[in-house]
Amino acid sequence: MATTDTCCTIVPYFKVHDGKLDEFKAGCDAFVEKTKTEPKCLFYGFSFNGDVAHCREGYSDAEGVLAHLDNVGVLLQEALKIADLAKLEIHGPETELAKL
C-alpha cells in the first residue's frame, strides 16, 4: 500500500558571528530539547563546518513546520542575534508548500 508523501523539510544554514560559536552551540541544545515535544517532528539536529551551522529538520506536513516555527520562535530570535541566516531551503510536496 502506497502512502502520500506530505513530509516537509527545512534546511537553514547559519553563519555564526566571530567568537560566538560556543554560545550558538549551547543554544542548539535548547532548540533540540524544545523540538522533542513536537509530535509532527520526524527528525531534527545540527551539524557544523567551522562557523557554519546546518540544521537538518523534517516534519510530517506543513502544519508541523508551522507548529515548530511557533514553538521555537523566541529561541530563533535569540540565535539570530549571534548568527546570520546564510541560506534557507524548504522542500516538500507542492500541496504542502502552498500551505506555508
XYZ file of all heavy atoms in Angstrom:
767
model
N 0.846 -1.175 0.000
C 0.000 0.000 0.000
C 0.898 1.247 0.000
O 1.757 1.403 0.858
C -0.907 -0.023 1.223
C -1.707 1.243 1.383
S -2.515 1.329 2.980
C -4.185 1.133 2.478
N 0.706 2.121 -0.941
C 1.479 3.358 -1.032
C 0.875 4.414 -0.109
O -0.327 4.430 0.131
C 1.490 3.872 -2.463
N 1.729 5.272 0.396
C 1.256 6.379 1.220
C 1.548 7.689 0.498
O 2.450 7.765 -0.334
C 1.955 6.398 2.593
O 3.357 6.509 2.389
C 1.654 5.143 3.378
N 0.803 8.707 0.804
C 1.015 10.026 0.225
C 2.131 10.731 0.983
O 2.118 10.775 2.214
C -0.277 10.871 0.309
O -1.314 10.161 -0.368
C -0.088 12.226 -0.316
N 3.076 11.256 0.236
C 4.195 11.985 0.836
C 3.742 13.390 1.195
O 3.390 14.174 0.324
C 5.361 12.040 -0.143
C 6.536 12.849 0.373
O 6.580 13.139 1.583
O 7.415 13.181 -0.432
N 3.755 13.704 2.478
C 3.438 15.057 2.939
C 4.615 15.672 3.697
O 4.498 16.778 4.215
C 2.198 15.047 3.859
O 2.451 14.190 4.976
C 0.954 14.584 3.105
N 5.747 14.964 3.748
C 6.912 15.414 4.513
C 7.460 16.740 3.984
O 7.625 16.926 2.782
C 8.005 14.364 4.468
S 9.494 14.835 5.370
N 7.725 17.632 4.905
C 8.338 18.926 4.582
C 9.646 19.024 5.362
O 9.692 18.678 6.547
C 7.435 20.079 4.997
S 5.882 20.157 4.084
N 10.678 19.491 4.679
C 11.961 19.685 5.351
C 12.363 21.146 5.297
O 12.061 21.855 4.334
C 13.079 18.825 4.732
O 13.236 19.176 3.359
C 12.767 17.356 4.845
N 13.015 21.579 6.351
C 13.594 22.920 6.420
C 15.098 22.719 6.498
O 15.582 21.879 7.270
C 13.115 23.689 7.668
C 11.599 23.772 7.705
C 13.721 25.089 7.682
C 11.077 24.438 8.965
N 15.829 23.495 5.707
C 17.285 23.347 5.663
C 17.918 24.736 5.829
O 18.261 25.393 4.851
C 17.728 22.696 4.340
C 19.212 22.375 4.366
C 16.914 21.445 4.038
N 18.043 25.224 7.077
C 18.691 26.515 7.294
C 20.195 26.360 7.530
O 20.648 25.371 8.116
C 18.006 27.044 8.555
C 17.643 25.814 9.314
C 17.374 24.739 8.285
N 20.935 27.326 7.042
C 22.372 27.423 7.297
C 22.624 28.750 8.002
O 22.172 29.799 7.524
C 23.163 27.397 5.989
C 23.115 26.079 5.273
C 22.042 25.748 4.463
C 24.150 25.160 5.419
C 21.999 24.531 3.802
C 24.111 23.936 4.755
C 23.036 23.633 3.949
O 22.991 22.434 3.292
N 23.315 28.695 9.119
C 23.613 29.890 9.902
C 25.112 30.158 9.877
O 25.907 29.248 10.120
C 23.190 29.693 11.362
C 21.728 29.450 11.547
C 21.218 28.154 11.590
C 20.848 30.507 11.705
C 19.874 27.914 11.777
C 19.493 30.282 11.891
C 19.003 28.982 11.924
N 25.489 31.402 9.634
C 26.892 31.839 9.730
C 27.028 32.491 11.099
O 26.485 33.567 11.358
C 27.215 32.827 8.616
C 28.581 33.467 8.702
C 29.656 32.539 8.202
C 30.982 33.262 7.999
N 31.719 33.522 9.202
N 27.731 31.805 11.986
C 27.852 32.256 13.380
C 28.877 33.387 13.452
O 29.941 33.320 12.840
C 28.251 31.087 14.298
C 28.358 31.545 15.743
C 27.254 29.932 14.163
N 28.542 34.424 14.203
C 29.427 35.573 14.367
C 30.718 35.163 15.083
O 30.719 34.229 15.901
C 28.733 36.673 15.170
C 27.497 37.195 14.511
N 26.617 38.020 15.171
C 26.974 37.036 13.259
C 25.619 38.342 14.368
N 25.815 37.744 13.199
N 31.780 35.883 14.778
C 33.090 35.608 15.382
C 32.993 35.567 16.908
O 32.385 36.446 17.526
C 34.108 36.682 14.985
C 34.529 36.568 13.526
O 34.335 35.498 12.924
O 35.072 37.558 13.004
N 33.582 34.541 17.486
C 33.631 34.422 18.936
C 32.340 33.941 19.581
O 32.258 33.874 20.811
N 31.328 33.587 18.800
C 30.023 33.210 19.351
C 29.659 31.742 19.125
O 28.537 31.333 19.416
C 28.921 34.092 18.737
C 29.065 35.563 19.036
C 28.865 35.835 20.508
C 28.916 37.314 20.823
N 28.647 37.571 22.236
N 30.612 30.949 18.622
C 30.288 29.561 18.274
C 29.849 28.740 19.486
O 28.848 28.016 19.412
C 31.472 28.899 17.575
C 31.199 27.540 16.943
C 30.068 27.601 15.922
C 32.467 26.998 16.300
N 30.550 28.849 20.601
C 30.166 28.088 21.793
C 28.772 28.492 22.276
O 27.969 27.631 22.662
C 31.186 28.270 22.909
C 32.497 27.546 22.628
O 32.507 26.623 21.783
O 33.518 27.911 23.245
N 28.485 29.775 22.246
C 27.164 30.258 22.658
C 26.081 29.732 21.712
O 25.005 29.309 22.148
C 27.161 31.791 22.672
C 25.877 32.404 23.162
C 25.922 33.930 23.182
O 27.006 34.525 23.032
O 24.845 34.533 23.338
N 26.377 29.738 20.416
C 25.409 29.238 19.441
C 25.155 27.748 19.667
O 24.004 27.296 19.651
C 25.891 29.491 18.009
C 24.852 29.185 16.974
C 23.946 30.149 16.571
C 24.763 27.921 16.411
C 22.964 29.860 15.626
C 23.792 27.618 15.470
C 22.899 28.597 15.075
N 26.218 26.982 19.879
C 26.068 25.543 20.107
C 25.233 25.265 21.355
O 24.412 24.339 21.364
C 27.433 24.870 20.212
C 28.109 24.713 18.864
C 29.446 23.994 19.001
C 30.080 23.762 17.648
N 31.356 23.026 17.740
N 25.413 26.047 22.387
C 24.598 25.884 23.591
C 23.125 26.139 23.274
O 22.235 25.438 23.772
C 25.083 26.819 24.694
N 22.874 27.119 22.435
C 21.501 27.394 22.008
C 20.908 26.250 21.197
O 19.700 25.989 21.263
N 21.749 25.553 20.448
C 21.278 24.409 19.659
C 20.706 23.341 20.571
O 19.695 22.702 20.237
C 22.407 23.841 18.807
S 22.935 24.941 17.487
N 21.336 23.137 21.713
C 20.818 22.169 22.678
C 19.408 22.547 23.123
O 18.536 21.683 23.264
C 21.739 22.070 23.894
C 23.085 21.445 23.576
O 23.193 20.735 22.549
O 24.035 21.676 24.346
N 19.168 23.837 23.309
C 17.831 24.303 23.699
C 16.819 24.058 22.574
O 15.680 23.656 22.830
C 17.880 25.778 24.073
N 17.229 24.288 21.321
C 16.357 24.003 20.177
C 15.963 22.523 20.159
O 14.789 22.189 19.977
C 17.076 24.324 18.853
C 16.947 25.742 18.383
C 17.973 26.644 18.601
C 15.824 26.168 17.703
C 17.886 27.942 18.143
C 15.723 27.470 17.238
C 16.756 28.364 17.459
N 16.947 21.657 20.317
C 16.688 20.213 20.265
C 15.729 19.813 21.379
O 14.761 19.067 21.144
C 18.008 19.415 20.343
C 17.744 17.930 20.535
C 18.846 19.653 19.084
N 15.954 20.295 22.588
C 15.072 19.951 23.707
C 13.646 20.426 23.459
O 12.690 19.693 23.699
C 15.602 20.541 25.016
C 16.759 19.762 25.596
C 16.423 18.297 25.829
O 15.380 17.987 26.457
O 17.211 17.442 25.376
N 13.496 21.648 22.989
C 12.160 22.209 22.750
C 11.449 21.453 21.636
O 10.246 21.221 21.691
C 12.271 23.699 22.428
C 10.960 24.433 22.504
C 11.194 25.833 23.003
C 9.930 26.618 23.164
N 9.188 26.293 24.367
N 12.195 21.051 20.617
C 11.612 20.369 19.469
C 11.157 18.952 19.814
O 10.251 18.417 19.177
C 12.628 20.367 18.306
O 12.950 21.729 17.996
C 12.065 19.715 17.064
N 11.734 18.348 20.845
C 11.347 16.998 21.256
C 9.867 16.892 21.614
O 9.299 15.806 21.588
C 12.180 16.538 22.457
C 13.585 16.147 22.111
C 14.339 15.698 23.363
C 15.761 15.323 23.041
N 16.505 14.909 24.243
N 9.238 18.007 21.950
C 7.828 17.994 22.341
C 6.884 18.056 21.144
O 5.668 17.988 21.319
C 7.518 19.194 23.258
O 7.674 20.414 22.519
C 8.426 19.204 24.482
N 7.411 18.182 19.930
C 6.578 18.375 18.739
C 6.200 17.024 18.116
O 7.061 16.325 17.603
C 7.317 19.240 17.719
C 7.644 20.614 18.248
C 8.530 21.414 17.305
O 8.685 21.042 16.125
O 9.071 22.439 17.759
N 4.929 16.667 18.130
C 4.520 15.349 17.634
C 4.722 15.157 16.130
O 4.849 14.021 15.672
C 3.039 15.255 18.008
C 2.594 16.655 18.223
C 3.805 17.423 18.683
N 4.783 16.225 15.360
C 4.932 16.091 13.910
C 6.377 16.215 13.437
O 6.639 16.195 12.242
C 4.041 17.102 13.187
C 2.566 16.784 13.357
C 1.722 17.569 12.406
C 0.288 17.052 12.483
N -0.433 17.354 11.263
N 7.310 16.322 14.376
C 8.724 16.385 14.010
C 9.219 14.967 13.748
O 9.111 14.089 14.603
C 9.543 17.035 15.119
S 11.296 17.153 14.697
N 9.780 14.747 12.565
C 10.305 13.428 12.195
C 11.784 13.291 12.536
O 12.233 12.227 12.932
C 10.097 13.187 10.700
C 8.652 13.264 10.212
C 8.601 13.177 8.694
C 7.809 12.174 10.858
N 12.547 14.379 12.339
C 13.970 14.391 12.692
C 14.417 15.833 12.847
O 13.832 16.749 12.273
C 14.833 13.658 11.647
C 14.631 14.120 10.232
C 15.361 15.178 9.711
C 13.729 13.485 9.407
C 15.183 15.605 8.399
C 13.540 13.890 8.085
C 14.275 14.958 7.589
N 15.456 16.016 13.686
C 15.915 17.364 13.991
C 17.306 17.301 14.587
O 17.536 16.568 15.545
C 14.965 18.029 14.998
C 15.213 19.494 15.199
C 14.594 20.435 14.397
C 16.086 19.950 16.183
C 14.823 21.785 14.572
C 16.319 21.293 16.355
C 15.686 22.207 15.550
O 15.915 23.543 15.722
N 18.242 18.030 14.023
C 19.580 18.058 14.581
C 20.481 19.034 13.854
O 20.174 19.475 12.740
N 21.595 19.372 14.491
C 22.550 20.331 13.950
C 23.856 19.646 13.591
O 24.262 18.678 14.234
C 22.848 21.420 14.987
C 21.723 22.393 15.187
C 20.710 22.121 16.086
C 21.689 23.586 14.476
C 19.677 23.019 16.280
C 20.656 24.485 14.660
C 19.643 24.202 15.567
N 24.528 20.195 12.585
C 25.905 19.824 12.275
C 26.667 21.112 11.997
O 26.062 22.156 11.711
C 25.975 18.871 11.081
O 25.475 19.490 9.914
N 27.993 21.040 12.103
C 28.820 22.235 11.980
C 29.984 21.997 11.032
O 30.550 20.909 10.984
C 29.370 22.642 13.353
C 28.303 23.117 14.287
C 27.570 22.222 15.039
C 28.008 24.471 14.396
C 26.564 22.648 15.885
C 27.008 24.909 15.242
C 26.286 23.999 15.990
N 30.312 23.044 10.303
C 31.516 23.083 9.468
C 32.171 24.424 9.767
O 31.765 25.447 9.206
C 31.167 22.935 7.991
C 32.399 22.908 7.110
O 33.526 22.823 7.595
N 32.181 22.991 5.809
N 33.113 24.421 10.701
C 33.704 25.681 11.132
C 32.655 26.531 11.816
O 31.988 26.084 12.750
N 32.472 27.748 11.315
C 31.492 28.666 11.915
C 30.148 28.661 11.194
O 29.328 29.552 11.375
C 32.061 30.079 11.993
C 32.374 30.669 10.627
O 32.224 29.963 9.606
O 32.781 31.848 10.568
N 29.914 27.636 10.382
C 28.626 27.490 9.696
C 27.864 26.335 10.337
O 28.372 25.216 10.439
C 28.803 27.245 8.187
C 27.451 26.977 7.526
C 29.484 28.436 7.524
N 26.654 26.633 10.790
C 25.789 25.624 11.397
C 24.689 25.271 10.411
O 24.144 26.139 9.733
C 25.177 26.164 12.686
N 24.377 23.997 10.353
C 23.316 23.499 9.481
C 22.333 22.739 10.354
O 22.731 21.924 11.184
C 23.934 22.561 8.429
C 22.934 21.711 7.719
N 22.818 20.366 7.970
C 22.014 22.014 6.784
C 21.856 19.872 7.201
N 21.361 20.850 6.479
N 21.063 23.031 10.181
C 20.036 22.295 10.913
C 19.272 21.436 9.917
O 18.735 21.945 8.937
C 19.086 23.241 11.643
S 17.923 22.360 12.707
N 19.251 20.142 10.160
C 18.519 19.199 9.311
C 17.248 18.848 10.061
O 17.295 18.272 11.148
C 19.371 17.960 9.069
C 18.740 16.957 8.164
C 19.741 15.824 7.861
N 19.074 14.773 7.146
C 18.534 13.699 7.712
N 18.616 13.523 9.013
N 17.926 12.793 6.976
N 16.097 19.216 9.472
C 14.841 19.011 10.176
C 13.728 18.625 9.218
O 13.644 19.139 8.104
C 14.458 20.258 10.976
C 14.569 21.558 10.212
C 14.424 22.784 11.094
O 13.349 22.954 11.704
O 15.377 23.568 11.155
N 12.896 17.696 9.651
C 11.784 17.235 8.832
C 10.517 17.094 9.660
O 10.568 16.737 10.843
N 9.395 17.361 9.014
C 8.090 17.351 9.676
C 7.100 16.570 8.826
O 7.208 16.538 7.601
C 7.602 18.791 9.911
C 8.615 19.563 10.698
C 9.647 20.246 10.060
C 8.620 19.513 12.078
C 10.635 20.885 10.776
C 9.612 20.153 12.806
C 10.617 20.842 12.152
O 11.602 21.457 12.870
N 6.118 15.980 9.453
C 5.179 15.134 8.731
C 4.350 15.898 7.707
O 3.879 15.307 6.737
C 4.271 14.376 9.701
O 3.558 15.277 10.516
N 4.209 17.218 7.898
C 3.447 18.031 6.950
C 3.671 19.514 7.248
O 4.420 19.866 8.167
C 1.954 17.691 7.001
C 1.348 17.797 8.399
O 1.887 18.544 9.249
O 0.332 17.132 8.656
N 3.029 20.370 6.457
C 3.182 21.817 6.627
C 2.719 22.281 8.003
O 3.319 23.177 8.598
C 2.411 22.558 5.530
N 1.686 21.670 8.517
C 1.201 22.027 9.855
C 2.298 21.824 10.894
O 2.455 22.621 11.822
C -0.027 21.180 10.191
C -0.641 21.494 11.524
C -1.832 20.595 11.815
O -2.910 20.879 11.261
O -1.668 19.623 12.582
N 3.069 20.763 10.732
C 4.180 20.502 11.641
C 5.256 21.565 11.560
O 5.834 21.967 12.569
N 5.534 22.049 10.347
C 6.510 23.126 10.167
C 6.044 24.383 10.881
O 6.799 25.017 11.628
C 6.740 23.422 8.669
C 7.575 24.679 8.485
C 7.390 22.247 7.963
N 4.793 24.748 10.661
C 4.261 25.966 11.276
C 4.239 25.858 12.802
O 4.559 26.827 13.499
C 2.876 26.266 10.716
C 2.849 26.593 9.219
C 1.407 26.691 8.722
C 3.623 27.857 8.913
N 3.888 24.691 13.311
C 3.885 24.490 14.768
C 5.305 24.616 15.314
O 5.518 25.213 16.374
C 3.295 23.116 15.106
N 6.277 24.081 14.574
C 7.678 24.181 15.013
C 8.126 25.635 15.069
O 8.736 26.069 16.054
C 8.584 23.393 14.074
C 10.028 23.663 14.299
N 10.700 23.194 15.417
C 10.934 24.376 13.586
C 11.963 23.605 15.360
N 12.126 24.324 14.257
N 7.848 26.379 14.016
C 8.276 27.783 13.984
C 7.659 28.577 15.129
O 8.317 29.435 15.720
C 7.947 28.402 12.635
C 8.732 27.822 11.450
C 8.217 28.394 10.140
C 10.220 28.050 11.610
N 6.428 28.261 15.456
C 5.780 28.917 16.595
C 6.446 28.498 17.903
O 6.693 29.320 18.775
C 4.291 28.559 16.611
C 3.533 29.309 17.685
O 3.617 30.557 17.721
O 2.855 28.649 18.499
N 6.764 27.226 18.015
C 7.359 26.677 19.235
C 8.747 27.243 19.527
O 9.091 27.499 20.672
C 7.427 25.145 19.134
C 7.863 24.483 20.417
O 7.520 24.903 21.511
N 8.634 23.424 20.277
N 9.560 27.441 18.496
C 10.953 27.874 18.700
C 11.188 29.341 18.338
O 12.326 29.791 18.290
C 11.958 26.984 17.925
C 11.856 25.545 18.377
C 11.786 27.124 16.425
N 10.124 30.086 18.125
C 10.251 31.478 17.690
C 11.161 32.326 18.562
O 12.022 33.053 18.054
N 11.022 32.238 19.863
C 11.848 33.032 20.778
C 13.312 32.593 20.678
O 14.220 33.433 20.617
C 11.327 32.922 22.231
C 12.291 33.572 23.206
C 9.946 33.554 22.339
N 13.542 31.286 20.643
C 14.912 30.780 20.517
C 15.547 31.227 19.199
O 16.731 31.590 19.163
C 14.931 29.254 20.584
C 14.573 28.617 21.918
C 14.494 27.101 21.784
C 15.576 29.011 22.986
N 14.771 31.210 18.122
C 15.293 31.627 16.828
C 15.683 33.102 16.842
O 16.735 33.476 16.325
C 14.265 31.349 15.731
C 14.685 31.699 14.316
C 15.954 30.972 13.911
C 13.561 31.394 13.343
N 14.870 33.936 17.453
C 15.202 35.358 17.543
C 16.511 35.571 18.304
O 17.326 36.420 17.940
C 14.061 36.148 18.183
C 12.820 36.216 17.315
C 13.105 36.758 15.932
O 13.773 37.771 15.758
N 12.603 36.067 14.921
N 16.719 34.796 19.355
C 17.969 34.886 20.121
C 19.154 34.414 19.277
O 20.220 35.024 19.297
C 17.866 34.073 21.412
C 16.931 34.688 22.441
C 17.348 36.099 22.838
O 18.531 36.311 23.171
O 16.483 36.994 22.816
N 18.982 33.324 18.548
C 20.061 32.790 17.708
C 20.464 33.796 16.630
O 21.654 33.926 16.306
C 19.630 31.472 17.070
N 19.491 34.511 16.099
C 19.780 35.470 15.032
C 20.487 36.732 15.528
O 20.903 37.558 14.735
C 18.498 35.819 14.271
C 17.941 34.664 13.438
C 16.584 35.026 12.858
C 18.921 34.249 12.350
N 20.655 36.845 16.833
C 21.456 37.937 17.391
C 22.942 37.616 17.324
O 23.776 38.518 17.391
C 21.048 38.206 18.846
C 19.663 38.802 18.989
C 19.296 38.989 20.442
C 17.884 39.540 20.583
N 17.489 39.636 22.004
N 23.279 36.312 17.205
C 24.687 35.904 17.187
C 25.063 35.138 15.914
O 26.175 34.627 15.795
C 25.047 35.073 18.437
C 24.190 33.821 18.547
C 24.946 35.930 19.698
C 24.633 32.863 19.641
N 24.125 35.066 14.973
C 24.375 34.378 13.707
C 23.482 34.982 12.636
O 22.416 35.528 12.937
C 24.099 32.888 13.840
N 23.930 34.884 11.401
C 23.126 35.336 10.268
C 22.570 34.112 9.547
O 23.256 33.093 9.426
C 23.983 36.134 9.290
C 24.531 37.404 9.919
O 23.771 38.091 10.622
O 25.732 37.694 9.712
N 21.358 34.220 9.073
C 20.786 33.165 8.251
C 21.399 33.307 6.863
O 21.088 34.241 6.128
C 19.268 33.279 8.206
C 18.536 32.178 7.463
C 18.787 30.820 8.108
C 17.050 32.475 7.431
N 22.309 32.402 6.516
C 23.051 32.491 5.264
C 22.275 31.893 4.098
O 22.397 32.357 2.956
C 24.398 31.786 5.406
N 21.485 30.874 4.384
C 20.750 30.182 3.324
C 19.589 29.442 3.962
O 19.708 28.934 5.081
C 21.679 29.195 2.616
C 21.065 28.436 1.480
C 22.115 27.522 0.840
C 21.534 26.736 -0.305
N 22.547 25.852 -0.910
N 18.467 29.374 3.256
C 17.305 28.644 3.752
C 16.647 27.931 2.576
O 16.317 28.555 1.574
C 16.302 29.588 4.412
C 14.994 28.966 4.882
C 15.241 27.959 5.996
C 14.017 30.030 5.329
N 16.477 26.618 2.728
C 15.750 25.822 1.746
C 14.574 25.172 2.447
O 14.686 24.747 3.596
C 16.645 24.725 1.166
C 17.855 25.230 0.430
C 18.763 24.092 -0.017
O 18.356 22.904 0.073
O 19.879 24.391 -0.452
N 13.446 25.108 1.755
C 12.280 24.397 2.261
C 11.838 23.465 1.140
O 11.646 23.901 0.003
C 11.152 25.359 2.674
C 11.650 26.307 3.766
C 9.928 24.577 3.141
C 10.655 27.366 4.186
N 11.701 22.190 1.465
C 11.347 21.179 0.469
C 10.112 20.420 0.916
O 9.907 20.204 2.112
C 12.501 20.184 0.288
C 13.776 20.819 -0.135
N 14.088 21.060 -1.441
C 14.816 21.293 0.592
C 15.281 21.642 -1.522
N 15.743 21.802 -0.290
N 9.302 20.019 -0.045
C 8.133 19.203 0.242
C 7.221 19.156 -0.964
O 7.467 19.813 -1.979
N 6.150 18.402 -0.858
C 5.183 18.338 -1.936
C 4.530 19.705 -2.163
O 4.320 20.471 -1.225
C 4.139 17.333 -1.443
C 4.813 16.568 -0.348
C 5.802 17.515 0.253
N 4.212 19.979 -3.404
C 3.642 21.279 -3.768
C 2.410 21.639 -2.932
O 2.250 22.769 -2.497
C 3.284 21.281 -5.252
C 2.807 22.615 -5.760
C 2.555 22.609 -7.261
O 2.855 21.626 -7.936
O 2.043 23.633 -7.743
N 1.555 20.658 -2.669
C 0.336 20.931 -1.901
C 0.660 21.370 -0.475
O -0.045 22.201 0.092
C -0.591 19.706 -1.872
O 0.142 18.580 -1.382
C -1.133 19.402 -3.262
N 1.701 20.797 0.111
C 2.092 21.173 1.466
C 2.812 22.526 1.463
O 2.568 23.364 2.335
C 2.980 20.105 2.097
C 2.247 18.809 2.392
C 1.064 18.979 3.336
O 1.242 19.542 4.423
O -0.036 18.540 2.967
N 3.670 22.751 0.490
C 4.400 24.031 0.410
C 3.449 25.196 0.229
O 3.689 26.290 0.754
C 5.439 23.997 -0.715
C 6.587 23.005 -0.519
C 7.508 23.038 -1.731
C 7.350 23.277 0.757
N 2.357 24.986 -0.469
C 1.362 26.049 -0.674
C 0.761 26.505 0.659
O 0.341 27.652 0.791
C 0.265 25.569 -1.620
N 0.748 25.614 1.635
C 0.200 25.950 2.962
C 1.155 26.822 3.786
O 0.757 27.412 4.771
C -0.112 24.672 3.737
C -1.159 23.810 3.068
C -1.281 22.480 3.790
C -2.212 21.541 3.044
N -2.279 20.214 3.702
N 2.422 26.848 3.357
C 3.417 27.609 4.090
C 3.499 29.026 3.582
O 4.076 29.888 4.149
C 4.796 26.922 3.988
C 4.849 25.512 4.561
C 6.215 24.891 4.288
C 4.574 25.517 6.056
